[in-house]
Amino acid sequence: MPETRAMRPIARIHSQFPGKFGIPRQSGLVPALRATVVLEPAFRNPDALRGLEGFSHIWLLWEFSQAVREGWSPTVRPPRLGGNARLGVFATRSPFRPNPIGLSPVRLEAVRQDARLGPVLDVSGADLMDGTPIFDIKPYLPYVDCIPDAAGGFAPGPAEVLQVACPPELLARVPAESREALLGVLAQDPRPRYQKDPARVYAMDFAGLTVRFTAADGVLTVTEISERRACGEAL
């Protein structure tokens, strides 16, 4: 009989991404992104975070909550390879895994006490969707967690970024504190790797807004920024 272990979320993250589309493919690629880690009620004890403020970065162990499925496949198609090659699931960071668990190092900006939510963590550079359940928080230890001469396999470095063209009158619709983060996210090319139609208009939800854009020849052009409509709201 297979051995099982039950885990429950100890926290959830609140980020600027209500959906998966547009989330950076790895943590740290867009340092300007801000998010908040809120402990679940059973774990809102300040003592649980005592000493964490001394670390500049932390590890978040979390669930690919939108990728939970029955069964699993031993191979996947990494977007980095254009979706045209199959590799072993354990040789990739695909969300479609036997256990849909993600691991992200993020910068710890602050540990603070909220009057309603108790102790919360302000973080930056996170690659998590809003509401993602977090199973554990651990301090990042640079003397063992950083390996400068490690090999990167089929993904030895970050993908090339795009030039972002956003008219000033559109960017002005974005709250000032979120503009740098938005431009950083767009520069990472949110499009699926296999979609390169220069005429296609893409829509990405971010920070309460819907951002529409096209991309061609290394340039991403923002065509519209509007308030995000709630699900079911008439057009």
Side-chain angles (χ1 to χ4, degrees), residues 13 15 17 23-30 33 35 37 52 56-65 93-95 97 100-108 121 123-129 132-141 145:
I13 198 165
S15 74
F17 294 99
I23 296 177
R25 293 177 175 88
Q26 304 293 339
S27 62
L29 291 177
V30 184
L33 281 173
V37 176
L52 193 63
S56 66
H57 292 73
I58 57 175
W59 290 102
L60 300 179
L61 183 69
W62 49 278
E63 180 185 51
F64 287 104
S65 52
R93 296 194 176 192
S94 168
R97 323 182 67 79
I101 293 174
L103 180 66
S104 296
V106 298
R107 173 173 284 278
L108 178 60
L121 307 179
V123 300
S124 61
D127 56 339
L128 283 74
M129 188 176 71
T132 293
I134 295 173
F135 290 132
D136 203 5
I137 299 166
K138 298 180 187 295
Y140 179 96
L141 302 178
D145 291 341

Side-chain angles (χ1 to χ4, degrees), residues 28-86:
L29 291 177
V30 184
L33 281 173
R34 296 292 185 266
T36 302
V37 176
V38 177
L39 296 172
E40 292 289 273
F43 301 99
R44 291 177 184 173
N45 186 328
D47 288 341
L49 300 176
R50 186 188 301 172
L52 193 63
E53 69 279 356
F55 296 89
S56 66
H57 292 73
I58 57 175
W59 290 102
L60 300 179
L61 183 69
W62 49 278
E63 180 185 51
F64 287 104
S65 52
Q66 299 299 305
V68 177
R69 56 175 61 180
E70 293 292 333
W72 67 286
S73 171
T75 61
V76 295
R77 299 179 186 270
R80 186 64 175 267
L81 300 179
N84 298 317
R86 281 196 171 274

Side-chain angles (χ1 to χ4, degrees), residues 139-192:
Y140 179 96
L141 302 178
Y143 71 93
V144 288
D145 291 341
C146 178
I147 307 174
D149 59 348
F154 68 89
E160 292 186 7
V161 299
L162 299 179
Q163 177 184 343
V164 178
C166 182
E169 63 272 17
L170 293 184
L171 190 59
R173 299 177 185 176
V174 181
E177 66 274 12
S178 298
R179 292 172 189 169
E180 182 183 355
L182 173 62
L183 295 176
V185 168
L186 294 174
Q188 292 295 323
D189 193 354
R191 298 174 300 168

